[in-house]
Amino acid sequence: MKNEMIIVLDFGGQYNQLIARRVRECNVYCEVKPYTMSLDEIKALNPKGIIFTGGPNSVYDETSPRYQKEIFDLGIPILGICYGSQLMAHTLGGRVETAPVSEYGHTEVTVDPSDVLFEGVSENTVCWMSHTDYIAQVPEGFKITAHTPVCPVAAMSCPEQKLYATQFHPEVMHTKEGMKMLANFVHNVCGCAGDWKMDSFVETTIQSLREKIGSGKVLCALSGGVDSSVAAVLLSKAVGKQLTCVFVDHGLLRKNEGDEVEAVFGPDGPYELNFIRVNAQQRYYSKLKGVTDPETKRKIIGEEFIRVFEEEAKKIGSVDFLVQGTIYPDVIESGLGKSAVIKSHHNVGGLPDVVDFKEIVEPLRMLFKDEVRKAGLELGMPEYLVYRQPFPGPGLGVRIVGEVTEEKVRIVQDADYIYREELHKAGVDKDLGQYFAALTNMRSVGVMGDFRTYDYAIALRAVLTSDFMTAEAAQIPWEVLAKVTNRIVNEVKGVNRVLYDCTGKPPATIEFE
Ligand code: XMP
């Protein structure tokens, strides 16, 4: 029974699903709904609270997404975040303007701890800001409850009407006490008891997959990454040999990875399924020849994957279900809903056109990466597989800047192997969200023995992240970096420099393309 529910009204922000997830972490059921949902539809859901998300627009822009004023008269508590806060201010008669100074990233905010939203929060706390507009004047009846040196209204509230708003993003982990603020809203403003618990994902998913699939034939594109591996194991547990997994080795995998995937999912592995490995390395290299634009590379890799898969699918014939290991961040970042497209993801879309199937199955669509891992463990998958580095569909294609060649693939594979090995030996790998070596397209002068070299620079990347939507650069001990550098320049031909990437996400992405 979903007796208590919070609605996240989606105005096109990047972190909308994250907000929903944070609310679910407070043990309150939560769903994201489009801002086009009518007032009657909202009333019918009888939510205990509503959260307006951020979004890329300016409220004073005629075409920007709005909501009718009457929503504020329902008596339902509302929390506006970023664009949502500006929308609240604008709609209720406050003033929103372009800020003289936009704020971006970690920002010190002074809050009023007597406001319900900030109960238990330190008076000076760090929040994540990302805005170019700001609230210049709050609507009548509102008080300012937080500010920064350049943002006069970092938060406002009107407790009588149960309306709250923050310019910053409490849902991202960079907002140190954001979870406290959301919990305050959910429990103390909306009055939710927090008695909702997510059912065991694995159990219910296997059960519902069985019901859905019956005796049908299932086809899965297995990449060897955590997502598609967990999806494959879920399906294998649900329907066994009715499942066929096609693994395309596109020549952009990490060192030895093709064989490792085969060892786990192939006939000698522990799972019951049909496994087909396609060695398509050379096809990919020739398609990628001369291509330097990152989006074009992604598209080529994605399209070629579809071609290869199509050929295999033809051999298999018609299937009933096609499995995809799509997870939540893929869905959001591929620009579903109204969010701006960050980059086209390899594993969303495409395949359905070329495979003769009845329905698509995406068992992980609602999960974030760490939840996928939890599901993997619950499935009894070995830890080395579950905690394997997340690896993007386009593989090393997104870790080689500029043209992809077989030679560059060899360089980045070898450097990455050394990096991973040394981090593991030093025992620092388990604390990291994701880490890898990338090949910059930069060559520079070096000296080796008596000779001048003109070789590539390898970039090392390591980030801390819990949800892969945001991340910060990890501080790897200097001795470890020195050791890795030394080994790479000595052991990997074609490299004479090693750089460390200190950038977080945003403004960078985790991958390096
Ligand atoms: P970015 O680089 O967007 O990465 O910050 C966030 C997470 O997504 C992974 N990633 C992908 N995964 N297909 C995938 O399956 C893709 O096309 C893709 N691009 C990025 C990335 O490795 C990181 O974990």
Side-chain angles (χ1 to χ4, degrees):
M1 273 300 293
K2 303 168 189 168
N3 41 6
E4 283 184 342
M5 179 191 194
I6 301 265
I7 294 178
V8 171
L9 215 51
D10 180 357
F11 288 97
Q14 291 292 334
Y15 307 126
N16 304 346
Q17 303 297 346
L18 197 52
I19 302 173
R21 180 201 163 149
R22 296 284 182 249
V23 174
R24 294 198 297 260
E25 282 171 12
C26 298
N27 295 327
V28 175
Y29 186 74
C30 184
E31 279 185 26
V32 179
K33 299 288 184 191
Y35 75 89
T36 47
M37 185 179 217
S38 75
L39 207 56
D40 284 337
E41 288 170 312
I42 290 182
K43 277 196 255 176
L45 289 172
N46 191 26
K48 298 276 280 184
I50 301 172
I51 299 179
F52 286 7
T53 74
N57 304 77
S58 287
V59 282
Y60 43 78
D61 198 340
E62 284 296 307
T63 56
S64 61
R66 306 280 170 87
Y67 205 90
Q68 64 192 98
K69 200 170 177 222
E70 288 70 24
I71 193 167
F72 296 105
D73 302 329
L74 294 177
I76 301 174
I78 299 179
L79 170 65
I81 295 176
C82 197
Y83 177 81
S85 74
Q86 296 163 7
L87 188 68
M88 183 185 287
H90 180 79
T91 312
L92 295 175
R95 211 172 67 243
V96 177
E97 292 173 357
T98 308
V101 185
S102 22
E103 283 174 305
Y104 194 78
H106 293 101
T107 310
E108 284 250 2
V109 179
T110 307
V111 307
D112 173 2
S114 70
D115 190 66
V116 183
L117 200 64
F118 300 123
E119 219 177 278
V121 173
S122 332
E123 195 169 342
N124 292 306
T125 185
V126 173
C127 295
W128 185 259
M129 285 284 198
S130 173
H131 68 115
T132 42
D133 289 346
Y134 71 178
I135 300 170
Q137 197 189 329
V138 301
E140 219 181 288
F142 276 76
K143 63 181 168 58
I144 296 172
T145 54
H147 66 274
T148 78
V150 295
C151 181
V153 187
M156 63 176 190
S157 74
C158 176
E160 297 73 30
Q161 289 183 268
K162 299 191 177 135
L163 302 180
Y164 293 80
T166 63
Q167 180 56 67
F168 51 83
H169 289 271
E171 71 278 17
V172 305
M173 65 170 183
H174 303 301
T175 296
K176 290 241 151 37
E177 299 176 89
M179 215 28 226
K180 239 184 245 173
M181 300 172 195
L182 287 174
N184 281 341
F185 178 71
V186 166
H187 299 303
N188 302 343
V189 178
C190 303
C192 293
D195 50 12
W196 178 81
K197 282 241 165 15
M198 204 203 290
D199 295 330
S200 157
F201 170 80
V202 164
E203 237 169 77
T204 48
T205 306
I206 291 178
Q207 191 52 36
S208 69
L209 284 172
R210 270 191 198 134
E211 278 162 23
K212 186 173 186 164
I213 290 166
S215 58
K217 235 164 109 178
V218 189
L219 181 60
C220 173
L222 184 67
S223 75
V226 182
D227 307 340
S228 68
S229 298
V230 172
V233 174
L234 264 175
L235 263 300
S236 139
K237 298 257 180 188
V239 298
K241 285 267 185 190
Q242 286 163 248
L243 168 71
T244 300
C245 285
V246 175
F247 167 56
V248 178
D249 186 338
H250 51 24
L252 301 165
L253 298 167
R254 283 166 291 203
K255 192 171 172 150
N256 304 333
E257 194 166 43
D259 296 340
E260 284 167 18
V261 171
E262 187 168 346
V264 174
F265 289 97
D268 300 330
Y271 303 112
E272 198 191 353
L273 56 98
N274 302 301
F275 177 80
I276 299 170
R277 175 174 178 174
V278 190
N279 289 310
Q281 295 89 332
Q282 291 308 324
R283 279 179 72 154
Y284 277 85
Y285 297 149
S286 66
K287 286 277 173 193
L288 289 166
K289 202 166 165 24
V291 184
T292 55
D293 174 64
E295 270 299 288
T296 314
K297 286 196 291 189
R298 274 179 175 272
K299 293 226 161 74
I300 290 173
I301 298 167
E303 272 160 28
E304 199 52 21
F305 181 78
I306 289 166
R307 296 286 84 78
V308 175
F309 202 84
E310 185 176 32
E311 289 166 21
E312 290 310 312
K314 276 200 185 121
K315 291 183 206 159
I316 295 166
S318 77
V319 294
D320 302 287
F321 298 91
L322 179 68
V323 184
Q324 292 198 301
T326 320
I327 66 169
Y328 236 158
D330 304 337
V331 177
I332 308 163
E333 295 205 353
S334 284
L336 269 181
K338 293 275 187 282
S339 306
V341 177
I342 306 285
K343 54 195 181 191
S344 47
H345 264 265
H346 175 66
N347 46 358
V348 179
L351 285 183
D353 300 341
V354 299
V355 181
D356 188 9
F357 72 104
K358 288 197 200 111
E359 210 176 316
I360 203 151
V361 190
E362 293 178 309
L364 310 176
R365 200 181 164 83
M366 300 303 285
L367 303 191
F368 286 86
K369 200 76 155 205
D370 54 331
E371 293 173 321
V372 173
R373 288 213 174 95
K374 268 188 216 148
L377 290 178
E378 219 180 309
L379 278 163
M381 290 169 69
E383 288 206 4
Y384 75 87
L385 228 168
V386 169
Y387 287 104
R388 171 177 231 164
Q389 285 283 299
F391 193 60
L396 301 179
V398 294
R399 293 179 183 173
I400 293 173
V401 180
E403 186 188 8
V404 174
T405 63
E406 199 169 348
E407 169 69 356
K408 285 186 178 171
V409 169
R410 195 258 320 150
I411 293 177
V412 77
Q413 275 181 341
D414 287 347
D416 182 66
Y417 190 82
I418 293 171
Y419 186 38
R420 284 189 284 136
E421 189 171 67
E422 289 302 329
L423 289 186
H424 185 65
K425 268 197 231 157
V428 291
D429 55 342
K430 56 186 183 310
D431 301 324
L432 302 171
Q434 197 166 354
Y435 53 97
F436 55 85
L439 185 60
T440 71
N441 203 25
M442 194 268 289
R443 290 204 292 166
S444 63
V445 173
V447 58
M448 188 86 92
D450 291 334
F451 296 99
R452 174 187 185 275
T453 58
Y454 187 60
D455 282 335
Y456 286 110
I458 278 285
L460 302 177
R461 183 131 179 80
V463 296
L464 303 175
T465 177
S466 67
D467 53 36
F468 295 83
M469 305 286 288
T470 58
E472 55 192 303
Q475 299 191 16
I476 307 287
W478 183 251
E479 321 78 80
V480 180
L481 288 178
K483 177 94 187 285
V484 173
T485 302
N486 191 34
R487 278 195 62 192
I488 290 177
V489 292
N490 280 300
E491 295 173 36
V492 186
K493 195 167 159 280
V495 178
N496 67 356
R497 230 173 252 271
V498 175
L499 313 171
Y500 188 71
D501 184 351
C502 304
T503 331
K505 170 186 181 176
T509 57
I510 293 175
E511 293 298 341
F512 197 115
E513 59 192 298

